[in-house]
Amino acid sequence: MCSQPDQLFLAVAQRDDAAAATVYAAHSSGRPVIVGTRSVEQSEQFAQLLAAQGVTATVLNAKNDAEVAGIIAQAGQHGAVTVSTQMAGRGVDIQLGDGVTELGGLLVIVIGRYNSARLDRLLRGRAGRQGDPGASVFFTSFEDPVVTEQLSPNRLPHVVADDGLVEDPEFHRLYEHAQRVAAGKLLELRRTTRKYQTITDHHRAVLLPTRERILTDPTAIDQYLTLVWPDHPEHVQLWAGSERREMATDVALFFLDRAWADHLNLLAETREGIHLRALGRQNPLDEFNRIAIGDFENLASHALSSVRDTLAQAPDDATDLVALGLRRPSSTWTYIVTDNPFGSEADRLVAFIGKTIRGNRQPNITYH
């Protein structure tokens, strides 16, 4: 497989026009082309750009993922043009059609780079699989998110070609630097996520065995009700030794589940604003763990109290949760994590000074 140098442009529009022109030229010769994009929206927009030039492309993205096999089967045929998202058709070999080898094999064109170079390599790998000939080339721009989210606009190149092509190696290295910075942030984000998840994993490991025993061990509810009424064995016998035993089990599980859901809800809400503790010179992770541990210590007692109150007030003819006015919720808790988006105190000071010095200057760009 031949990996061609990146084609780096100043603007997205210039990047896309150049990529479309390359697709058009390859398609005119009959060479199959697959275009990798970052999103469903981008794949559809680029397909429309090709259509305006008279090139009909097959779009492969999450909207038609069920058709992957059929689309991939045709992607290596003479004259085929396929616009795909990064994930679509992943791991599927593209078989070359008759006469395609003589044309150089499959041409893979990638629009923009991901924050992770690993994903870029996956896209490159679609060309030249199983020893077949092929080539790949990235079309990038200084308006790509991987750059705009990492670098100051004052670092843009000042001299570019008429079509916006940037040939200065320094700025190619700058683009690669931006990608490395983005990859580093992703790695740190994963590490931070894991730090905040550790305490939750520990609490889950403590709670789940109790829940599992109540759910699967017929004798477990007897022990649990003893915790509910430690000083009233007659109440334990009333529920554990009757036909309402199953309902007592359901009530115990219900309030354990709800207590856990409430705990996760508190952690999610706490996580949303925990980074603000850094402004008060507190460690966000330490504060998060302190709050999580304190709430979890009260979780079991709250569940026991709720079970006791509910069973004590249960009507004599109640046989299930619905009769008690209890309905199981269905919730999924997710966490948006970033340890400290404000950065350290030194980071904030440097950023403030930098912005003050730079002001709102716009770069001078010369076309030649």
Side-chain angles (χ1 to χ4, degrees):
M1 180 186 70
C2 175
S3 297
Q4 301 175 8
D6 283 16
Q7 300 295 297
L8 177 60
F9 293 83
L10 190 65
V12 164
Q14 296 164 336
R15 176 201 70 186
D16 291 351
D17 286 344
T22 302
V23 173
Y24 180 85
H27 176 67
S28 298
S29 71
R31 187 178 190 181
V33 181
I34 184 167
V35 181
T37 61
R38 288 172 53 92
S39 66
V40 171
E41 180 183 10
Q42 188 184 37
S43 67
E44 294 176 343
Q45 289 176 348
F46 194 78
Q48 292 173 0
L49 181 61
L50 293 176
Q53 299 188 18
V55 177
T56 301
T58 301
V59 179
L60 175 58
N61 55 38
K63 290 185 177 181
N64 59 352
D65 203 42
E67 305 170 24
V68 166
I71 295 176
I72 290 297
Q74 299 298 319
Q77 300 303 306
H78 188 279
V81 176
T82 307
V83 180
S84 169
T85 56
Q86 185 270 333
M87 292 302 296
R90 182 176 176 180
V92 180
D93 287 338
I94 299 174
Q95 303 298 322
L96 300 184
D98 294 337
V100 170
T101 298
E102 291 74 13
L103 297 173
L106 179 67
L107 174 61
V108 173
I109 293 176
V110 186
I111 309 297
R113 283 188 175 272
Y114 280 85
N115 289 352
S116 168
R118 182 183 65 84
L119 295 179
D120 292 340
R121 289 193 293 270
L122 286 175
L123 283 170
R124 277 197 188 278
R126 292 188 175 185
R129 295 175 72 93
Q130 305 296 329
D132 291 332
S136 63
V137 58
F138 280 78
F139 283 80
T140 58
S141 84
F142 274 95
E143 291 181 347
D144 293 349
V146 70
V147 175
T148 59
E149 294 171 3
Q150 315 303 332
L151 301 180
S152 164
N154 289 324
R155 301 190 68 181
L156 290 175
H158 290 190
V159 179
V160 297
D162 291 339
D163 60 358
L165 182 65
V166 179
E167 298 179 335
D168 190 334
E170 175 186 353
F171 291 102
H172 282 257
R173 291 192 293 270
L174 184 62
Y175 191 104
E176 293 170 356
H177 169 71
Q179 186 182 42
R180 288 193 296 271
V181 171
K185 289 182 177 179
L186 284 176
L187 178 60
E188 184 59 30
L189 181 61
R190 286 194 290 269
R191 288 173 176 169
T192 300
T193 302
R194 186 58 196 161
K195 290 177 183 177
Y196 282 92
Q197 189 63 31
T198 298
I199 190 68
T200 308
D201 290 345
H202 173 69
H203 290 164
R204 183 182 293 108
V206 172
L207 182 66
L208 278 183
T210 298
R211 187 186 188 281
E212 187 68 17
R213 284 195 60 225
I214 295 175
L215 187 63
T216 60
D217 185 351
T219 65
I221 189 60
D222 300 4
Q223 301 172 14
Y224 191 78
L225 290 176
T226 300
L227 297 176
V228 173
W229 286 294
D231 300 322
H232 296 278
E234 69 278 9
H235 293 326
V236 175
Q237 183 60 33
L238 175 65
W239 285 94
S242 70
E243 64 278 2
R244 306 178 80 187
R245 177 190 187 90
E246 183 176 348
M247 188 172 72
T249 301
D250 290 342
V251 170
L253 291 172
F254 175 87
F255 283 110
L256 273 178
D257 291 348
R258 191 165 81 172
W260 178 246
D262 290 343
H263 180 64
L264 292 182
N265 186 30
L266 173 69
L267 297 187
E269 292 177 352
T270 301
R271 189 66 189 91
E272 283 289 326
I274 198 66
H275 56 270
L276 296 175
R277 301 295 180 97
L279 298 178
R281 300 178 182 274
Q282 295 176 319
N283 184 293
L285 179 60
D286 290 345
E287 289 300 300
F288 178 84
N289 287 340
R290 181 184 63 79
I291 294 171
I293 291 171
D295 185 70
F296 188 75
E297 288 176 347
N298 296 322
L299 185 151
S301 61
H302 287 164
L304 290 171
S305 176
S306 297
V307 171
R308 180 170 57 251
D309 293 344
T310 300
L311 294 182
Q313 300 172 17
D316 293 338
D317 58 349
T319 58
D320 55 28
L321 294 180
V322 175
L324 298 176
L326 304 178
R327 298 184 183 278
R328 291 188 177 276
S330 177
S331 301
T332 300
W333 304 104
T334 56
Y335 300 87
I336 300 174
V337 291
T338 174
D339 200 13
N340 184 4
F342 292 101
S344 67
E345 187 174 3
D347 292 337
R348 295 193 294 273
L349 179 60
V350 170
F352 173 77
I353 294 174
K355 289 180 180 178
T356 302
I357 293 174
R358 290 194 301 267
N360 294 318
R361 291 180 300 171
Q362 297 297 321
N364 295 320
I365 301 172
T366 303
Y367 292 87
H368 65 81

